[in-house]
Amino acid sequence: MRPRGKAEGRPWLRALEVLRNCPSVIVHAVLLMSQRGRHQESKTKLEISPSETMKAEEENYKEEDKEPKSEDWRPPSVFGAADLKNRAVGLYNIGQTCCLNSLLQVFFMNIHFTKILRRISVPVCGTQKKNNVPYQMLLLLEEMQRGKQKAVSPRELAICLLAHRVTMFVQYDAAQLFLTLWNLLKKQMKNPELVEKLSDLYTIGVQEHLACQICSSETKRNSSMLTLPVPLLDSGFYMLKTLEECLQCFFHPEELTGHNMCFCEHCGKKTPFRQCVKLVHLPQTLTIHLKRFCFGRSAYIHKISSCLPFPQDLDFNEVLTEQQCQAYDSEKAAWQYELFAVVAHSGSTSCGHYCAYIRSLTECKWYCFNDSLVEQVSWDDVKSTYGHSDLSWGQTAYLLFYMKKHPQ
Amino acid sequence: MAQWQEVQQLPPTHLERVHQLYTNAALPMTVRQSLADWIEDQDWQQAAEPFSSHARMLFHSLLTLLGEQLGSLGPGDEDFMLKHNLRKARIDLQAAFEEHPENFANLVANLLQEERCILRRAQAKGQVEAPPAPSTAPQSSQEREIQQRLAEFRTALQEAERAFRHMEDLQDTFDFSYKMYYLPGQDHSHDPQYAQHVQALQAKLQSLDRQRREVVAQIQQLLGRSETLRDFLQQELSAWRERQQRSCLGAPTDTCLLQLQGWFTALGEGLFQLLQLLRAVGELRQKVTYEQDPLQSELPLLEKRLQEQLTCLLQSAFVVEQQPCMPNTPKRPLVLRTANKFCTRARLLVRLHDRNHRMEANIHIDRDPPKTRGFRKFNILTSSSKTVLVGDSPREGLVCDFQYLTLKEQKGGGSGKGSRGSNEGPLAVTEELHLITFTLAYAYCGLELKLETSTLPFVIISNNNQLSSAWASVLWFNMLSPNPKDQQFFSTPPPAPWPRLAEVLSWQFQSIAERGLSREHLQMLAEKLFGSKPSPESALPWTKFSKDGAAGFSFWAWLDGILALLHDHLKQLWKDGLILGFVSRKQEKKLLKVKRSGTFLIRFSESMLGGVTCTWVEHPESGPPAFRAVVPYTAAELASLALPDIIRDYQLLAEENIPENPLLFLYPDTARDEAFGPYYSQRHEGILTKKKEYLNQRLIRVSSRQPLSPVCCGCATHMSRGATVGSPGQCPGVIGHCAPLPAVSSPPMAPRCSAVSWGERRVVTSPSSTEPRPSNNEGTRWEREGAMWRDDVTQRSVMSR
């Protein structure tokens, strides 16, 4: 388990210390992080934390200090020259960071995101600079766009993330890491306007309905999500055929009966409920998480590698019915999406590799980001991430990023 | 081909870009040109990394090579400018990059990349014809894509190998230094030199680590590429399978495997090469490893992914190239007769093998037989295993060819003669589907696999008369089965949608008589089957196709009879479109009504198996037009006299006994001799003056017009026909012959009646250079049987008595 709390928090602090100061060389047991002969050793063996909610992260996180707001403000919706500079540049894998690298690429290739990132205020003092995720991301982005190198190392950012308990050198679940990264970004951007923009860019608004089947009393709750976690199997454990079907399945009402019955305050007892999720709002960048897991009889989780085609163009008005939406027509009119990026996973649940297929928004070409290797590819290559039932180690799409065609 | 060579062959528009690229580049084109191969062979990308010692090394090698180049140029004037340019370039380069050779490496790396970009763009526009592949056939975009991807895959593989070699070098240097300088046991805290060594060692390890990660990333990338490529090949392969299935049904398609074999082999080669590379990387890891070694965690994953891809590729590359077929019925594969020879062939499209390993292929029939009662079991009599022949030419490839196989039914233990009845399953023999499975123990480069492939299901018959219905089953299965291995297909055979069926029927005519069915033909067949115009939803159930039929035979039996007739006797006429063939009576009237008297058409009989007939129109002076048709000719008649000759000599005897040929114009309006002239058999001009013991004889067909005669004329015809054919029952209209005959003027359209009023006979006459015959031949004519068949009413009636 990942360390929690202050007392347990020590190992990672120690790791960080080791990372920064270790002077000796232990060949055959050396962790290489540095470019300039600064080498570190890491003996910390941290395991993957299975389910880490950002709540826990928030509790542990200590607001460091209030920083002066920067006056660096440009009018929105106009991209500066720098914003359009998003050449595809690789990121070195510095030890199982393929997952982080893929996600960073998805962030950096999104000009709507970099537009926000470039406007953050620069922290004043050194430690703040080092521990500020948005700032480190911006530095990395600048380094990528400035240099003529084919790849750069995300080392500083990795150290910064380590300071926020995002351990490196372990296998990550991309969806979870995406959430972690995003929450860190949101928290550390001091400018409320930017935070709002970031939320607008990524969060999905849904309304959860819970209705008692006996007295018909209904409770509604609005909530926002960062990803739409769609199932690949329907309630009868049959494989769904397309992404559209998965989305329909996600928004399909569920009957809570038997063991799943809930307590109804009106009836004063446990009653069958009907639960459903209605779509209220879709953001500029929509993230869909394909739940490619299947729980076998034992605790063993295995990966579903069968084929699931996803379209390049997605119109939510065609996918969802009137009842599944709770939005105005003007909002719904903008629900036309175009595929922007695919984070693909190859391997099994216990070990694997991530790479990202991203369509450059400025050039309109697909690129494949395999750590330090970046290559222009075609839609057919992206299609190869649909999955194959006969290739259990092949690459399969895991996170899909869709971009609104006509930004409001 | 070397990149620079390709660049030079670019069309002008793209070449312009290359010139632009080099105008402002610090590397002069002269240098690029004169050291093209060496430059392309180096890993500039790698050298461009910051703090790479490689960059300096490369830079100095380049300068040295330039010097050598200068020295090798002759003292002559012809190279004067070149020498000047090279010398200048050398000085300039030295001045510009001596301090920072990595900048130079970066420059070259970028230039090479830009060149590749331009090349790709040019290729994408199809403006560069790939010179190494002089294929004349126009390639589809898919084929071009595959070829380009294969080429890209090879290039990327070479790059990965280069990166690997670099990694090997790095590891060697590190390993050496490590053994030399790293002495952990002693106390070196006061030795500044030791600290330096260790620091250098650490730097070396870092660059090694970086290189390892680079190699891993490259292999990941390669595997991603090959997955797409494999998808493409899989698509092509399933398209081929479909083509093969269609061609089994007689469709004219190309089922050549050479191109697919080339692609599969190329990808297989690449993947095996990658496998070797992975193993070599694994060996390097055995020698040096460290914490967070990327190879430690990534290698097993890469290996698994690669092996899986290879396995999938090889499995799908094992295909049945030739479905089981008896040599004597090449147009109807998948129908096998017990005790008859048949052959089948499988091929491994990945043409890679280990010469020291003997590959053996085995065949099994019905390895997993369906659990149906009465399902017959068979043995393959001849050897069921065979060593795979390895031909060197691509045409041969890796082929296991089973040529002389025969099947023998296994008799159920202890069953006597009567047991067959009780053993009878729910399926007819011709609906029982069998499969042959090929297995191949494949081994190459340490990868051992058992490959397997199956033929399409086939039908086993024991008698030739089952051939037709067996073929119907094969048609139905291959037309409709969604699963190519479904042996239980006929337990619930689905109906065939008309458009699909129409296509398959047309292929039958195409393959047997080299001309498919026209829209009109299919229209008629559809009306016959569905009673109306077919809608796209019309579907024909299996029983209606092959079993039930109003006329005592099924639709398929009728059609197959026609196919046999066409194949044996009418191929040429059908091919050339002289036989209208499938025309309903209603349609026939409509067509002929507006034509002049004597216009005729040839169509197939609907009332009997394998019959063809002529219908002509006569316009009497008053009254509606009359349509006449002859009793259909069958294979038996056509065997003795070909249809064109029948048409030429066909005679109708009118009351006045003056023979006339009513067949004047082939529908729509081609004169008879013009249409059929080329098909008439050669006539030997009888030289009458020459003494000969016998004169040649010739057979002609005659019908008599007996509209008003009270005597039944037809009987003689039928009797005679009965005598020749040997089965009077075959002749329609025997019953009812003696019924009062209708008047000619009201054309009898009921099939039986029309046959009655137009009796037909066979007359043997003698040589006959010209018509009418010269009178001096009469004698001969009478000598022959002709006397018996003299076409006159009295004799005929005598005959019939």
Side-chain angles (χ1 to χ4, degrees):
Chain A
M1 278 297 288
R2 199 186 154 284
R4 280 175 193 274
K6 276 180 188 167
E8 290 164 329
R10 292 200 71 130
W12 63 265
L13 273 176
R14 198 181 66 85
L16 191 65
E17 232 162 55
V18 167
L19 211 62
R20 284 186 181 151
N21 308 322
C22 179
S24 72
V25 172
I26 303 172
V27 185
H28 280 277
V30 155
L31 165 71
L32 301 147
M33 289 281 294
S34 124
Q35 295 179 334
R36 285 156 215 261
R38 246 205 299 169
H39 39 264
Q40 295 84 19
E41 177 205 356
S42 166
K43 284 182 174 172
T44 48
K45 299 261 178 189
L46 299 178
E47 287 162 26
I48 303 180
S49 45
S51 76
E52 177 174 359
T53 61
M54 282 317 294
K55 285 244 166 73
E57 202 65 49
E58 275 165 333
E59 282 159 21
N60 290 341
Y61 182 75
K62 287 200 171 120
E63 203 78 2
E64 288 182 12
D65 48 1
K66 305 287 173 201
E67 283 168 29
K69 274 182 190 165
S70 102
E71 303 305 314
D72 178 25
W73 174 247
R74 276 174 279 176
S77 83
V78 174
F79 294 111
D83 293 324
L84 292 171
K85 231 171 74 179
N86 71 335
R87 206 164 55 89
V89 178
L91 285 169
Y92 282 110
N93 186 330
I94 54 169
Q96 313 225 17
T97 54
C98 56
C99 179
L100 175 70
N101 288 349
S102 301
L103 290 173
L104 287 176
Q105 296 288 11
V106 175
F107 274 121
F108 289 155
M109 293 297 284
N110 185 349
I111 48 177
H112 303 285
F113 172 77
T114 53
K115 194 173 79 176
I116 297 170
L117 189 66
R118 283 180 203 276
R119 259 149 239 178
I120 58 159
S121 43
V122 179
V124 259
C125 73
T127 34
Q128 279 172 14
K129 277 182 179 169
K130 273 187 181 143
N131 292 339
N132 189 292
V133 178
Y135 179 65
Q136 289 300 334
M137 273 178 79
L138 181 59
L139 283 186
L140 184 61
L141 174 66
E142 292 294 344
E143 195 187 345
M144 286 164 75
Q145 296 308 325
R146 181 183 54 234
K148 285 177 181 168
Q149 299 164 29
K150 66 161 198 154
V152 297
S153 161
R155 176 178 166 271
E156 307 293 334
L157 179 65
I159 294 172
C160 168
L161 287 174
L162 204 56
H164 298 287
R165 301 184 158 202
V166 183
T167 51
M168 289 294 116
F169 327 121
V170 291
Q171 304 246 348
Y172 264 100
D173 175 78
Q176 185 206 325
L177 186 64
F178 178 66
L179 184 71
T180 312
L181 267 181
W182 192 84
N183 277 318
L184 279 170
L185 277 171
K186 189 182 161 198
K187 189 171 309 300
Q188 299 188 2
M189 280 192 188
K190 293 296 178 288
N191 187 338
E193 225 158 336
L194 289 184
V195 171
E196 200 191 317
K197 278 182 178 299
L198 186 71
S199 305
D200 281 353
L201 185 55
Y202 285 102
T203 50
I204 304 153
V206 291
Q207 193 170 55
E208 288 168 75
H209 287 241
L210 204 58
C212 171
Q213 294 295 78
I214 300 211
C215 66
S216 325
S217 67
E218 192 177 25
T219 50
K220 292 179 195 171
R221 196 171 55 140
N222 278 324
S223 59
S224 52
M225 309 164 90
L226 191 60
T227 58
L228 278 183
V230 299
L232 258 72
L233 302 170
D234 67 5
S235 48
F237 292 98
Y238 285 106
M239 279 301 305
L240 293 163
K241 299 269 183 335
T242 59
L243 177 68
E244 288 88 336
E245 279 185 19
C246 295
L247 286 166
Q248 279 157 1
C249 183
F250 179 78
F251 287 101
H252 193 75
E254 195 183 355
E255 308 288 339
L256 302 175
T257 51
H259 288 299
N260 295 327
M261 285 201 293
C262 298
F263 184 80
C264 175
E265 285 175 3
H266 289 266
C267 305
K269 57 172 181 181
K270 276 197 166 185
T271 55
F273 269 81
R274 183 183 167 90
Q275 187 187 34
C276 67
V277 182
K278 293 188 179 184
L279 193 57
V280 177
H281 168 74
L282 284 175
Q284 172 70 32
T285 306
L286 169 69
T287 314
I288 297 174
H289 173 204
L290 303 177
K291 294 200 331 200
R292 283 191 174 269
F293 317 109
C294 182
F295 296 89
R297 280 209 191 99
S298 57
Y300 177 70
I301 307 169
H302 68 92
K303 185 180 161 183
I304 303 169
S305 56
S306 55
C307 179
L308 183 89
F310 45 83
Q312 265 181 298
D313 296 293
L314 185 62
D315 182 357
F316 268 79
N317 295 313
E318 284 173 17
V319 177
L320 299 184
T321 61
E322 283 290 321
Q323 287 81 39
Q324 289 168 327
C325 309
Q326 189 82 45
Y328 296 112
D329 286 348
S330 61
E331 162 73 23
K332 282 161 93 171
W335 286 0
Q336 313 274 342
Y337 281 88
E338 201 167 10
L339 189 63
F340 158 63
V342 177
V343 170
H345 179 258
S346 55
S348 67
T349 44
S350 55
C351 72
H353 174 74
Y354 281 101
C355 67
Y357 289 89
I358 305 172
R359 199 174 57 102
S360 161
L361 293 172
T362 47
E363 295 168 273
C364 296
K365 287 175 192 156
W366 282 99
Y367 285 93
C368 175
F369 294 82
N370 237 320
D371 291 328
S372 58
L373 240 76
V374 183
E375 231 180 13
Q376 200 190 317
V377 294
S378 70
W379 169 241
D380 291 302
D381 294 281
V382 186
K383 278 202 310 205
S384 75
T385 64
Y386 283 174
H388 286 279
S389 41
D390 54 347
L391 282 181
S392 56
W393 292 87
Q395 53 187 8
T396 49
Y398 184 56
L399 292 179
L400 300 174
F401 296 82
Y402 278 90
M403 197 64 82
K404 230 175 223 175
K405 278 186 194 168
H406 314 290
Q408 282 160 317
Chain B
M1 186 165 42
Q3 188 173 320
W4 186 245
Q5 253 172 301
E6 274 182 66
V7 167
Q8 283 172 309
Q9 286 171 8
L10 282 171
T13 45
H14 292 278
L15 209 53
E16 188 51 40
R17 308 182 76 115
V18 180
H19 282 296
Q20 275 173 14
L21 183 66
Y22 277 91
T23 351
N24 297 320
L27 180 77
M29 209 188 243
T30 338
V31 180
R32 174 75 179 91
Q33 163 94 27
S34 48
L35 298 177
D37 291 341
W38 182 83
I39 289 178
E40 281 163 35
D41 226 30
Q42 308 309 312
D43 193 345
W44 297 97
Q45 201 72 265
Q46 171 60 41
E49 303 293 341
F51 316 105
S52 166
S53 57
H54 201 51
R56 186 163 298 275
M57 200 264 285
L58 281 181
F59 181 63
H60 285 287
S61 314
L62 180 106
L63 293 181
T64 322
L65 282 171
L66 270 182
E68 282 172 18
Q69 190 87 12
L70 274 171
S72 69
L73 288 172
D77 292 341
E78 65 272 22
D79 294 330
F80 182 75
M81 271 315 284
L82 177 64
K83 270 194 280 188
H84 167 79
N85 283 342
L86 284 180
R87 188 167 294 124
K88 182 175 182 299
R90 188 159 168 243
I91 295 164
D92 288 351
L93 285 176
Q94 192 149 19
F97 295 106
E98 182 68 63
E99 294 295 308
H100 299 284
E102 64 272 7
N103 288 353
F104 179 71
N106 196 28
L107 168 83
V108 181
N110 284 338
L111 278 175
L112 289 178
Q113 199 169 354
E114 285 297 319
E115 279 177 18
R116 276 196 287 273
C117 245
I118 295 171
L119 276 177
R120 213 177 9 240
R121 227 168 292 153
Q123 265 155 7
K125 286 192 180 160
Q127 287 169 346
V128 167
E129 286 309 314
S135 51
T136 45
Q139 292 178 320
S140 69
S141 60
Q142 174 89 344
E143 286 170 12
R144 262 206 308 279
E145 174 88 28
I146 289 176
Q147 239 128 24
Q148 197 182 328
R149 273 174 185 272
L150 275 171
E152 278 174 13
F153 184 76
R154 271 192 291 267
T155 322
L157 192 60
Q158 276 162 11
E159 260 166 51
E161 281 178 336
R162 204 151 51 211
F164 167 77
R165 281 198 299 276
H166 184 61
M167 176 172 101
E168 212 170 19
D169 290 345
L170 288 177
Q171 179 161 333
D172 283 349
T173 8
F174 167 77
D175 211 23
F176 176 76
S177 316
Y178 173 69
K179 281 173 186 149
M180 280 290 287
Y181 302 117
Y182 187 63
L183 308 159
Q186 303 154 22
D187 179 28
H188 298 288
S189 47
H190 304 296
D191 184 355
Q193 212 186 352
Y194 181 73
Q196 253 179 24
H197 280 313
V198 167
Q199 205 168 346
L201 202 53
Q202 180 64 48
K204 284 200 175 83
L205 184 55
Q206 267 163 19
S207 60
L208 175 62
D209 181 70
R210 181 186 283 255
Q211 188 60 21
R212 282 191 171 186
R213 292 185 191 283
E214 180 70 23
V215 170
V216 166
Q218 284 193 355
I219 296 175
Q220 291 280 14
Q221 188 82 349
L222 267 169
L223 283 174
R225 275 167 187 274
S226 70
E227 254 175 57
T228 318
L229 200 47
R230 202 192 67 99
D231 278 353
F232 276 56
L233 293 191
Q234 216 63 44
Q235 282 165 22
E236 289 290 313
L237 186 67
S238 40
W240 174 82
R241 273 185 214 283
E242 228 166 80
R243 283 206 301 276
Q244 189 196 36
Q245 203 168 5
R246 284 213 308 269
S247 103
C248 276
L249 299 186
T253 51
D254 174 27
T255 55
C256 178
L257 274 171
L258 275 188
Q259 190 176 44
L260 268 178
Q261 179 176 276
W263 291 338
F264 268 88
T265 309
L267 181 58
E269 233 162 26
L271 288 180
F272 272 115
Q273 216 171 325
L274 197 55
L275 188 69
Q276 307 272 35
L277 187 68
L278 262 188
R279 287 191 185 138
V281 172
E283 277 167 29
L284 288 188
R285 188 184 71 89
Q286 296 293 320
K287 288 182 193 152
V288 173
T289 187
Y290 45 89
E291 193 169 316
Q292 295 294 345
D293 180 358
L295 300 184
Q296 191 98 38
S297 52
E298 303 274 332
L299 264 193
L301 174 71
L302 287 173
E303 251 165 52
K304 274 189 189 131
R305 214 177 140 186
L306 177 59
Q307 288 216 350
E308 191 180 63
Q309 278 198 28
L310 263 174
T311 311
C312 271
L313 183 80
L314 286 163
Q315 282 292 5
S316 57
F318 193 41
V319 294
V320 177
E321 186 179 16
Q322 190 195 10
Q323 298 291 344
C325 179
M326 294 191 289
N328 49 354
T329 55
K331 294 267 168 73
R332 297 196 163 175
L334 300 172
V335 178
L336 305 181
R337 213 186 101 183
T338 47
N340 251 36
K341 274 194 199 91
F342 70 95
C343 46
T344 176
R345 182 165 68 235
R347 182 186 282 263
L348 184 62
L349 294 175
V350 176
R351 208 161 60 83
L352 299 172
H353 66 103
D354 186 353
R355 291 215 175 259
N356 301 320
H357 181 263
R358 200 165 142 272
M359 264 190 287
E360 198 165 73
N362 281 291
I363 48 172
H364 314 267
I365 183 163
D366 295 328
R367 227 174 27 169
D368 311 301
K371 309 261 178 300
T372 318
R373 191 164 45 86
F375 188 83
R376 294 172 302 159
K377 290 196 172 68
F378 290 90
N379 288 335
I380 295 174
L381 279 194
T382 20
S383 161
S384 66
S385 71
K386 200 162 190 130
T387 309
V388 173
L389 292 177
V390 178
D392 284 323
S393 80
R395 195 162 283 282
E396 290 166 57
L398 293 178
V399 167
C400 33
D401 198 355
F402 289 88
Q403 291 238 346
Y404 303 102
L405 300 173
T406 44
L407 292 173
K408 187 172 173 19
E409 189 175 352
Q410 282 176 18
K411 291 289 174 214
S415 59
K417 264 191 177 174
S419 69
R420 179 71 192 155
S422 61
N423 255 350
E424 207 79 66
L427 289 183
V429 166
T430 53
E431 292 181 347
E432 203 180 271
L433 298 173
H434 299 266
L435 277 179
I436 284 182
T437 310
F438 285 80
T439 52
L440 176 70
Y442 183 76
Y444 186 65
C445 281
L447 186 74
E448 286 187 18
L449 288 175
K450 195 165 182 194
L451 305 180
E452 229 181 79
T453 187
S454 292
T455 63
L456 289 171
F458 49 86
V459 179
I460 302 176
I461 55 173
S462 49
N463 194 311
N464 270 347
N465 60 20
Q466 294 166 313
L467 186 69
S468 172
S469 62
W471 182 243
S473 304
V474 171
L475 288 183
W476 211 257
F477 178 89
N478 287 297
M479 178 165 58
L480 298 170
S481 176
N483 170 11
K485 289 184 184 178
D486 184 11
Q487 289 181 268
Q488 302 274 40
F489 177 75
F490 282 105
S491 52
T492 47
W498 171 245
R500 185 93 185 87
L501 181 64
E503 184 186 34
V504 170
L505 292 181
S506 180
W507 290 342
Q508 302 313 303
F509 283 82
Q510 174 79 47
S511 89
I512 286 194
E514 293 169 44
R515 186 189 176 94
L517 296 176
S518 68
R519 214 157 49 90
E520 288 76 23
H521 290 153
L522 293 170
Q523 185 83 20
M524 180 265 174
L525 290 178
E527 274 169 28
K528 186 176 163 69
L529 285 170
F530 303 108
S532 62
K533 279 197 173 165
S535 69
E537 288 84 44
S538 308
L540 187 70
W542 166 239
T543 47
K544 211 180 156 195
F545 177 72
S546 76
K547 292 180 179 166
D548 312 332
F553 45 81
S554 68
F555 175 73
W556 169 248
W558 172 68
L559 215 57
D560 201 33
I562 292 169
L563 281 168
L565 190 73
L566 281 181
H567 179 258
D568 294 341
H569 301 291
L570 301 171
K571 207 165 174 175
Q572 202 58 41
L573 293 184
W574 172 258
K575 192 176 154 189
D576 296 345
L578 295 173
I579 299 177
L580 218 49
F582 298 100
V583 192
S584 66
R585 280 165 194 276
K586 209 169 120 197
Q587 182 68 11
E588 175 182 84
K589 267 196 201 170
K590 213 170 114 191
L591 293 176
L592 291 176
K593 200 162 62 185
V594 292
K595 297 293 170 188
R596 48 189 158 167
S597 281
T599 305
F600 66 101
L601 55 81
I602 307 170
R603 62 170 181 84
F604 301 121
S605 161
E606 281 188 73
S607 50
M608 57 191 289
L609 284 176
V612 63
T613 180
C614 301
T615 306
W616 72 91
V617 64
E618 280 175 5
H619 293 282
E621 276 165 26
S622 63
F627 304 95
R628 318 287 185 202
V630 199
V631 174
Y633 301 100
T634 59
E637 279 104 340
L638 295 180
S640 51
L641 195 57
L643 191 64
D645 292 328
I646 292 181
I647 289 169
R648 180 181 56 177
D649 295 335
Y650 181 74
Q651 298 204 336
L652 190 64
L653 296 181
E655 292 145 83
E656 303 82 30
N657 242 357
I658 307 165
E660 59 177 61
N661 191 340
L663 309 174
L664 300 177
F665 306 102
L666 178 66
Y667 179 84
D669 49 9
T670 320
R672 178 192 63 219
D673 290 344
E674 194 185 315
F676 289 96
Y679 309 100
Y680 293 156
S681 60
Q682 277 291 314
R683 289 187 179 177
H684 303 286
E685 297 291 318
I687 306 157
L688 299 172
T689 46
K690 206 173 168 186
K691 265 270 182 213
K692 244 186 173 181
E693 197 155 346
Y694 293 114
L695 289 174
N696 293 331
Q697 54 147 304
R698 181 157 67 89
L699 203 61
I700 66 165
R701 299 248 159 208
V702 178
S703 299
S704 65
R705 189 192 291 266
Q706 273 293 321
L708 301 166
S709 164
V711 184
C712 174
C713 57
C715 291
T717 312
H718 290 299
M719 286 309 287
S720 72
R721 177 195 282 281
T724 24
V725 172
S727 68
Q730 224 181 7
C731 204
V734 171
I735 309 155
H737 250 218
C738 298
L741 293 163
V744 184
S745 50
S746 61
M749 283 326 294
R752 310 272 186 250
C753 286
S754 73
V756 169
S757 57
W758 297 98
E760 185 225 355
R761 354 220 18 226
R762 173 177 277 227
V763 171
V764 185
T765 82
S766 67
S768 32
S769 31
T770 46
E771 269 173 288
R773 290 160 228 104
S775 55
N776 60 346
N777 274 353
E778 286 294 318
T780 342
R781 186 179 179 183
W782 282 99
E783 265 179 34
R784 305 291 304 165
E785 306 166 69
M788 213 169 104
W789 305 114
R790 188 73 182 105
D791 305 312
D792 91 13
V793 180
T794 3
Q795 284 207 4
R796 213 178 298 130
S797 46
V798 167
M799 276 291 305
S800 62
R801 272 173 210 138

